[in-house]
Amino acid sequence: MGEAGETIDTSVPHPARRYNYWLGGKDHFAADRASGDAIAKAFPIVVDLARANRKFLGRAVRFLAAEGIRQFLDVGTGLPAPDNTHEVAQRVAPEARVVYVDNDPIVMTHARALLQGDPRGRTAYIEADVRDPGAVLKHEALRDTLDLGQPVGLLLIAVLHFVHDDGQAATSVRTLVDALPPGSFVALTHGTMDVSSAEGVARYEKMFAAGGTDVRARGREQILGWFDGLEIVEPGLTLVSDWWADDDPAGRPVSDDLGIYAVVARKN
């Protein structure tokens, strides 16, 4: 992840643009495609998992909106794609407000141009990094759009596995959660090798050490540790396709090499 506000370097792959490539979008460069192809060659399931992750976002936002959440903070939003957070939320509650956060200037350019929500609600956009949660929380656009005295749905979808430092990842989650009032929710997805074979783990570790992937996979207990003091929503921490699934189990991506965990929790 780069620092917010930096000049766009299209020769370096960026997670948001690579994710867009896997989702079948058009907003990516040669470096993003090369990175995406290399990861998919090592772990062919990754494209299906990216799409399953996107479907989880929709289910999680619908769940939070049904629970009465009318404000959303989407950190690491990625490039616009069908069923963006505000679109899903405002179908349930047109007055829903959403603040999008990403550190890729291209993401922010597209967001401002394309992510126009229902006029009864509001959308705002912050170019910032999840590794600097204080900057997110102090940003004028957030304060103008969300009322942090009222419950917020915090979305950390496939972003924290790009934070390689374990302490920084934990601090980012805790800082953001601590700023939210009781009744708020957190929805998170994160890459894991818990489902992998020994051969898959070895392949991942070799690729990560060589810089071939920027995903820092983490295990169940480490991820759950970020949720100490929160009420985990049933069915708990699951593989991303299994969380409140609304499809045929036979059609869900299954792999013994790579997985994505999903979890939703409530702050009481």
Side-chain angles (χ1 to χ4, degrees):
M1 296 177 74
E3 294 301 321
E6 68 184 349
T7 301
I8 298 170
D9 183 352
T10 61
S11 69
V12 177
H14 189 281
R17 300 193 297 267
R18 184 176 60 221
Y19 187 52
N20 180 263
Y21 174 52
W22 285 337
L23 291 177
K26 300 177 180 179
D27 300 306
H28 39 75
F29 299 101
D32 307 306
R33 295 188 289 274
S35 172
D37 289 343
I39 295 172
K41 182 178 180 180
F43 300 99
I45 196 68
V46 73
V47 175
D48 288 337
L49 287 176
R51 294 170 181 170
N53 184 74
R54 185 70 182 182
K55 291 179 181 178
F56 165 81
L57 170 66
R59 297 197 305 275
V61 171
R62 286 195 297 272
F63 170 80
L64 297 186
E67 289 291 310
I69 296 297
R70 297 295 179 262
Q71 305 186 107
F72 295 84
L73 177 56
D74 187 342
V75 181
T77 181
L79 284 151
D83 284 337
N84 298 289
T85 297
H86 74 278
E87 293 170 328
V88 177
Q90 290 177 352
R91 285 186 202 125
V92 179
E95 72 276 17
R97 299 181 173 206
V98 179
V99 172
Y100 290 105
V101 181
D102 204 283
N103 71 345
D104 184 353
I106 290 180
V107 169
M108 289 296 96
T109 298
H110 282 271
R112 293 185 181 98
L114 299 176
L115 300 183
Q116 303 302 317
D118 193 299
R120 289 168 287 183
R122 289 186 65 184
T123 53
Y125 319 96
I126 299 173
E127 188 181 329
D129 197 303
V130 70
R131 293 172 296 188
D132 189 0
V136 174
L137 294 168
K138 291 184 291 188
H139 200 285
E140 183 179 0
L142 184 146
R143 297 288 173 171
D144 286 347
T145 308
L146 304 184
D147 176 2
L148 296 186
Q150 299 297 319
V152 174
L154 171 62
L155 306 174
L156 296 167
I157 306 301
V159 63
L160 286 166
H161 50 222
F162 297 114
V163 180
H164 294 176
D165 183 87
D166 291 341
Q168 178 62 77
T171 296
S172 293
V173 176
R174 183 49 53 192
T175 301
L176 292 167
V177 170
D178 284 350
L180 305 181
S184 295
F185 285 83
V186 185
L188 175 148
T189 63
H190 196 291
T192 186
M193 299 302 293
D194 281 359
V195 298
S196 183
S197 63
E199 294 80 4
V201 171
R203 189 162 63 252
Y204 160 77
E205 290 180 345
K206 181 179 179 180
M207 196 172 192
F208 184 78
T213 178
D214 46 8
V215 171
R216 166 75 164 88
R218 293 184 171 95
R220 166 181 292 271
E221 295 309 314
Q222 187 171 10
I223 295 168
L224 284 175
W226 299 338
F227 290 81
D228 286 348
L230 303 179
E231 176 190 351
I232 304 294
V233 173
E234 291 295 334
L237 184 73
T238 69
L239 292 177
V240 70
S241 296
D242 296 334
W243 193 92
W244 280 49
D246 53 8
D247 60 358
D248 182 350
R252 298 175 201 162
V254 177
S255 173
D256 62 356
D257 279 337
L258 183 67
I260 299 178
Y261 277 137
V263 63
V264 176
R266 186 179 191 276
K267 182 176 180 180
N268 293 318

